[in-house]
Amino acid sequence: MNVPENLRYTSDHEWILLEGDVATVGITDHAQEELTDVVFVELPDDGRSCDAGDPVAVVESVKAASDIYCPIAGEIVSGNTDLEADPSLVNTDPYGAGWIFKVRVKDVADVEAQMDADGYKGLIG
């Protein structure tokens, strides 16, 4: 299972990469494996405010549709429009080209409060 050390993780299987005050968010390798083949991604609207835990996007696979939550409070700055043409990027490159959205965070400490790689590995066992 691929769990990069440089990311933070949520119990809802999202990963977070903080760069300045903008966090890139996607779903983990574990989550994409559970979903199987992703066929559609509904992206959040740019400029939308969100609180931690708000559902902001949807990933649909051949198996199920899953809400994607905003892991920290902030404002959506962009969705990954590449996923509209090729939603399978979530499966083939979940930590790279398969990112889902970016959010300008209200408090960067909220990102640091999320699980580190070891904590997430413990969660997924």
Side-chain angles (χ1 to χ4, degrees), residues 31-110:
Q32 71 80 22
E33 277 189 9
E34 292 293 311
L35 283 169
T36 65
D37 298 329
V38 174
V39 295
F40 179 75
V41 179
E42 180 182 319
L43 299 171
D45 293 328
D46 292 357
R48 173 183 173 179
S49 291
C50 57
D51 290 322
D54 284 354
V56 295
V58 177
V59 172
E60 293 182 19
S61 72
V62 294
K63 202 165 143 181
S66 296
D67 285 332
I68 306 301
Y69 302 96
C70 195
I72 59 274
E75 179 184 328
I76 304 295
V77 292
S78 65
N80 184 355
T81 56
D82 290 345
L83 298 179
E84 293 171 340
D86 189 3
S88 69
L89 290 170
V90 171
N91 296 116
T92 59
D93 193 9
Y95 299 115
W99 63 275
I100 297 173
F101 65 93
K102 294 184 184 225
V103 59
R104 187 172 318 283
V105 298
K106 285 185 180 174
D107 186 351
V108 295
D110 291 345

